[in-house]
């Protein structure tokens, strides 16, 4: 149900005095101080991703100011000053203990923007979003506030160029050199990989989620792919955003009218088709929660249907980093994300009737944009895809009874003969232990090892850090030695990670999950024929009981928490530890932790019925 807003004239001179003062300083009409509020917000933080945000927020604020007033045709609203949320840098912090704050940044953006929207009573907002997590927190806050709102991506960074080879390079290129002994090469690539500013340019988490936000309807599709420094973002898009917002306000169209079950399903399907980041399976449940859906797997898409679509129906139709050749600027050059959406709509794989922030349905927006056909190199057709199956797969099995474990199949570079991987476990209690092993002069990893990194989940780390440093080193090691080494964790991965990497394994080790009971040398199987991840030793009930008893004893002797969990040495980390929910519910901070302790064996999956369209 939409909020019912009634404007009341405040007769208290104390409250009015500051409102008059703000109006004078912003240069808006004093007669509007009792009208509904409208404003612009942005994401900021310690990263190149955010460097272009403040400038764009200022331009949009000025465009909005020009449209606010008492003259006919103007928005009769009170303009508020721009506000910004804060988050850390994934690229700078990967491999450090500060990475625990990355996913928490999503929660902080949600909290900060909720405070601004709700306490200020904003009736309309435009957001400029950047980096990975703040855009999701921003949209979650908009959904909770549920008043007219629209988002614009700040845009991607343009790729760098290797000055010696002429090759296109980026952040992932630099990370994959971490284990190299060539210090000159590492220094040069680090200096050349990230010219200019903007968010990561491949189909990593940022662009996965910008595509998601556009397809779910909260961002105009043509505003996703241009680079951060593209002049359209300052010359054309600001006035368009104000036009769209004015129409949303006039028609009282709110975020929960736009973000629905059908639009969320569309966005998930497009994420599969672009070989998107595994983080989408943390962010989609969080956004569905904010949109009013309690359980993503029951209300939006079950694991069975997700895998059916990814395996049988939805191919990968872009040739993009990290599993391909190109970046988002190349996708923009070939027509933008709208080319991808049109291709999937024409193939009957999306619901074109969903409402979007432009006031049009998804199909109507595509028809107006009239994108070109796929070029066949950067963007492929459904009939002749870049990869035959969708880019993501969720796994069950005795290591993942929650069906939370996720594999980015589009990024796998080997090891899945006949859809099976059989490996030997090498266990590390935290990423820092693994990084120490990878830093050794001759890292002791063998073909078909399965590295197990645990106590890095939402509760255990706390904060569920991603592991781009580790996965990049392992990828480089595997390519150099022509071996396959897998990695599974109750933590998560960067959208730039490639290889046989499986994240979000749950329940996490700190919560007593089976990943905490694996021992060195155990047999780990990844079976994509059954979509299962399991440990053969733990299938033996007696072995499982013995190991679980020992684990519980360690917990009991350590005041009720396992000694391998990370230190929660700030109030924010402690808040995450005390309120984190499982990855399958989005790994966010929630006061109701009943979902966190939910036994997945009690989940009734009898209501799973694939859509006739996908049979």
């Amino acid at each position: 149900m939409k909020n019912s807003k009634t404007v009341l004239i405040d007769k208290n001179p104390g409250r009015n005095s500051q409102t008059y003062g703000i109006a004078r300083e912003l240069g808006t009409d004093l007669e509007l101080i009792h009208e509904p509020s409208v404003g612009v917000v942005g994401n900021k933080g310690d990263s190149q991703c955010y460097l272009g945000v403040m400038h764009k927020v200022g331009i949009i604020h000025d465009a909005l100011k020009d449209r606010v007033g008492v003259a006919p045709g103007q928005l009769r609203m009170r303009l508020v000053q721009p506000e910004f949320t804060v988050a850390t840098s994934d690229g700078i912090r990967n491999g450090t203990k500060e990475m625990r704050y990355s996913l928490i940044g999503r929660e902080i953006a949600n909290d900060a923007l909720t405070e601004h929207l709700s306490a200020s009573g904003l009736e309309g907002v435009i957001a400029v979003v950047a980096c990975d997590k703040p855009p999701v927190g921003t949209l979650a806050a908009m959904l909770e506030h549920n008043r007219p709102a629209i988002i614009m991506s700040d845009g991607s960074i343009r790729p760098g160029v290797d000055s010696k080879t002429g090759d296109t390079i980026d952040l992932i290129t630099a990370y994959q050199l971490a284990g190299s002994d060539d210090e000159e090469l590492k220094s040069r690539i680090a200096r050349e990989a990230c010219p200019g500013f903007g968010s990561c340019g491949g189909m990593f988490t940022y662009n996965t989620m910008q595509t998601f936000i556009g397809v779910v309807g909260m961002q105009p599709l043509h505003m996703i792919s241009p680079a951060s420094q593209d002049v359209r973002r300052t010359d054309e898009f600001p006035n368009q955003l104000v036009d769209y917002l004015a129409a949303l306000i006039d028609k009282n169209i709110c975020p929960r009218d736009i973000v629905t079950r059908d639009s969320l399903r569309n966005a998930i399907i497009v994420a599969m088709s672009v070989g998107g980041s595994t983080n989408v399976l943390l962010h989609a449940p969080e956004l569905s929660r904010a949109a009013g859906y309690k359980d993503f797997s029951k209300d939006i898409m079950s694991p069975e249907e997700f895998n059916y679509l990814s395996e049988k129906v939805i191919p990968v139709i872009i040739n993009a980093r990290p599993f391909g050749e190109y970046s988002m600027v190349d996708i923009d050059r070939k027509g933008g994300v709208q080319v991808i959406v049109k291709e999937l709509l024409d193939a009957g794989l999306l619901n074109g009737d969903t409402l979007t922030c432009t006031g049009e349905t998804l199909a109507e927006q595509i028809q107006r944009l009239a994108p070109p056909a796929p070029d066949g190199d950067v963007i492929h057709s459904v009939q002749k895809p870049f990869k035959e199956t969708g880019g993501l797969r969720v796994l069950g099995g005795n290591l993942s009874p929650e069906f939370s474990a996720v594999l980015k199949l589009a990024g796998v570079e080997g090891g899945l003969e006949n859809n099976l991987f059989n490996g030997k476990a090498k266990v590390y209690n935290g990423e820092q232990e693994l990084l120490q092993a990878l830093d050794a002069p001759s890292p002791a990893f063998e073909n078909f090892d399965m590295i197990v990194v645990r106590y890095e989940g939402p509760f255990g780390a706390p904060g569920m850090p991603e592991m781009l440093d580790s996965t990049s080193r392992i990828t480089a090691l595997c390519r150099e030695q022509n071996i396959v080494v897998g990695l599974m964790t109750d933590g998560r991965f960067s959208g730039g990670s490639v290889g046989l990497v499986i994240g979000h394994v749950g329940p996490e080790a700190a919560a007593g999950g089976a990943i905490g009971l694996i021992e060195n040398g155990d047999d780990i199987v990844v079976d994509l024929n059954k979509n299962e991840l399991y440990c053969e030793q733990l299938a033996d009930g007696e072995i499982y009981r013995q190991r679980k008893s020992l684990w519980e004893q360690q917990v009991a002797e350590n005041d009720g928490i396992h000694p391998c969990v990370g230190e929660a040495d700030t109030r924010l980390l402690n808040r995450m530890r005390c309120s984190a929910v499982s990855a399958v519910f989005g790994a966010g901070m929630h006061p109701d932790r009943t979902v966190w302790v939910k036994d997945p064996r009690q989940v009734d999956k009898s209501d799973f019925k694939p859509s006739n369209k996908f049979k």
Side-chain angles (χ1 to χ4, degrees):
M1 183 177 179
K2 295 181 184 177
N3 298 336
S4 176
K5 299 288 184 180
T6 302
V7 176
L8 298 176
I9 296 178
D10 196 330
K11 297 181 179 180
N12 188 305
R15 288 189 287 268
N16 288 346
S17 60
Q18 282 204 340
T19 318
Y20 278 124
I22 292 169
R24 282 195 301 269
E25 291 302 317
L26 294 182
T28 54
D29 199 305
L30 300 186
E31 293 184 27
L32 299 175
I33 70 163
H34 297 301
E35 296 298 329
S37 301
V38 66
V40 186
V41 299
N43 302 147
K44 290 205 68 184
D46 175 27
S47 170
Q48 261 178 308
C49 308
Y50 305 108
L51 289 177
V53 172
M54 184 178 289
H55 179 56
K56 296 181 184 73
V57 165
I59 291 174
I60 296 169
H61 174 82
D62 289 342
L64 191 56
K65 177 182 171 182
D66 290 342
R67 294 285 293 277
V68 167
V70 296
Q74 287 188 300
L75 284 169
R76 191 177 179 87
M77 303 189 81
R78 181 175 85 90
L79 183 66
V80 302
Q81 62 186 322
E83 293 290 350
F84 296 89
T85 66
V86 177
T88 189
S89 165
D90 293 356
I92 297 174
R93 307 303 171 200
N94 252 285
T96 74
K97 66 179 183 179
E98 288 81 18
M99 193 62 198
R100 296 177 297 170
Y101 288 96
S102 170
L103 185 59
I104 292 175
R106 182 188 72 183
E107 309 302 290
I108 297 302
N110 189 333
D111 287 351
L113 190 54
T114 295
E115 198 276 342
H116 176 58
L117 295 176
S118 297
S120 302
L122 262 71
E123 284 291 289
V125 64
I126 300 170
V128 181
V129 296
C131 204
D132 291 3
K133 315 309 175 299
V136 182
T138 297
L139 179 51
M142 288 174 165
L143 285 162
E144 291 171 351
H145 185 61
N146 202 34
R147 302 305 300 151
I150 189 168
I151 288 173
M152 181 185 79
S153 160
D154 177 65
S156 298
I157 191 170
R158 291 183 171 124
V161 177
D162 185 322
S163 59
K164 289 192 175 181
T165 67
D167 293 340
T168 298
I169 57 175
D170 59 17
L171 179 75
I172 304 306
T173 312
Y175 260 100
Q176 290 178 353
L177 290 173
S180 171
D181 295 327
D182 189 335
E183 297 301 326
E184 187 280 328
L185 174 65
K186 289 193 289 187
S187 176
R188 179 168 57 79
I189 296 301
R191 292 169 185 268
E192 296 173 352
C194 296
F197 56 81
S199 297
C200 289
M203 192 51 70
F204 313 150
T205 306
Y206 172 72
N207 279 314
T208 299
M209 292 315 301
Q210 291 313 307
T211 302
F212 188 102
I213 291 168
V215 174
V216 86
M218 288 298 293
Q219 174 169 203
L221 291 172
H222 67 289
M223 296 186 184
I224 299 171
S225 58
S228 179
Q229 293 177 289
D230 191 301
V231 294
R232 285 173 288 178
R233 295 201 174 279
T234 53
D235 294 356
E236 298 177 19
F237 296 169
N239 282 313
Q240 292 175 13
L241 288 165
V242 176
D243 287 341
Y244 292 139
L245 181 65
L248 292 172
I249 292 170
D250 181 61
K251 298 175 182 177
N252 197 28
I253 297 174
C254 298
R256 287 193 178 193
D257 299 321
I258 294 170
V259 182
T260 63
R261 178 180 183 273
D262 287 338
S263 69
L264 285 162
R265 286 170 60 85
N266 280 346
I268 283 287
I269 287 169
V270 175
M272 293 179 191
S273 77
V274 297
S277 167
T278 53
N279 283 304
V280 74
L281 287 169
L282 293 177
H283 299 325
E286 168 61 11
L287 291 174
S288 66
R289 173 207 63 78
Y293 299 98
K294 185 176 181 180
D295 188 331
F296 180 84
S297 66
K298 279 180 170 279
D299 299 330
I300 309 299
M301 186 178 288
S302 71
E304 294 92 339
E305 185 178 13
F306 183 96
N307 284 335
Y308 175 80
L309 293 174
S310 187
E311 185 177 359
K312 304 291 187 182
V313 181
I314 312 297
V316 173
I317 61 173
I318 63 168
N319 174 9
R321 298 272 289 158
F323 53 83
E325 184 178 354
Y326 297 107
S327 296
M328 185 58 91
V329 293
D330 299 301
I331 291 174
D332 183 60
R333 182 168 48 86
K334 296 300 181 180
V337 168
Q338 53 267 40
V339 177
I340 299 166
V341 176
K342 183 179 188 300
E343 178 65 16
L344 295 170
L345 273 172
D346 289 348
L349 300 175
L350 300 178
N351 182 340
D353 296 331
T354 56
L355 183 63
T356 74
C357 61
T358 66
E360 305 157 302
T361 65
L362 184 65
E364 288 169 344
Q365 190 181 164
I366 288 294
Q367 184 176 18
R368 174 176 56 82
L369 293 172
D375 67 292
D377 181 20
V378 179
I379 305 173
H380 292 242
S381 67
V382 170
Q383 288 73 29
K384 295 181 179 180
F386 184 65
K387 291 178 180 280
E388 294 292 334
T389 61
L392 298 167
R393 197 74 63 86
V394 293
L395 308 176
N398 67 2
L399 292 175
S400 181
E402 291 184 336
F403 271 88
S404 61
V406 56
L407 167 69
K408 186 171 181 175
L409 191 57
V412 174
E413 297 184 345
L416 285 170
E417 296 298 327
N418 299 316
N419 284 325
L420 286 169
F421 172 89
N422 289 275
K424 295 290 184 181
K426 280 199 170 180
V427 180
Y428 298 89
N429 291 321
E431 187 190 18
Q432 293 305 312
E433 279 192 9
L434 171 59
L435 287 172
Q436 289 173 14
L438 289 166
D439 273 336
S442 299
F445 296 100
E446 299 177 357
N447 200 24
F448 289 96
D449 277 344
M450 173 59 84
I451 296 169
V452 179
V453 181
R454 59 197 184 191
Y455 298 102
E456 294 286 14
F459 167 65
M464 202 180 188
E466 67 183 34
M467 301 182 187
L468 180 59
D469 194 347
S470 299
T471 60
S472 297
R473 292 171 188 245
I474 292 166
T475 296
L477 179 72
C478 289
R479 290 172 179 173
E480 180 182 304
Q481 298 186 11
N482 194 29
I483 61 175
V484 173
V485 175
L487 190 157
M488 57 175 281
T489 179
D490 51 11
R492 61 188 182 86
F493 298 118
S494 162
S497 294
V498 293
L500 186 62
V501 293
I502 300 169
H504 313 182
V505 177
E508 63 177 289
I515 188 174
L517 309 181
I518 298 172
E519 295 184 356
N520 283 317
D522 279 357
D523 297 296
I524 306 297
V525 179
V526 182
D527 186 344
L528 295 190
N529 297 307
K530 298 179 179 178
N531 290 317
E532 290 184 347
L533 172 68
Y534 60 92
C535 172
E536 291 189 351
Q537 282 73 13
L538 293 179
D540 184 313
E542 184 57 32
I543 291 175
Y544 178 90
R545 283 188 290 272
Q546 288 175 359
R547 294 186 186 180
K548 188 61 179 286
S549 177
L550 177 61
W551 185 90
E552 290 172 344
Q553 181 181 339
Q554 292 174 310
V555 169
E557 292 172 352
N558 194 54
D559 298 324
I561 191 166
H562 196 276
C564 290
V565 302
E567 184 180 9
D569 53 358
T570 65
R571 186 171 74 166
L572 188 54
L573 290 174
N574 187 62
R575 180 185 164 202
M576 186 69 174
R577 171 153 294 160
C578 293
S579 62
V581 296
S582 169
V584 77
F585 293 102
M589 297 180 182
H590 297 286
D592 179 8
R593 296 187 78 212
T594 56
V595 294
W596 181 75
V597 298
K598 182 177 181 181
D599 184 344
R601 290 169 296 186
Q602 303 301 315
V603 175
D604 179 14
K605 296 193 174 91
S606 61
D607 62 349
F608 165 64
K609 296 181 179 64
S611 165
N612 288 334
K613 181 187 293 185
F614 300 126
K615 284 185 178 178

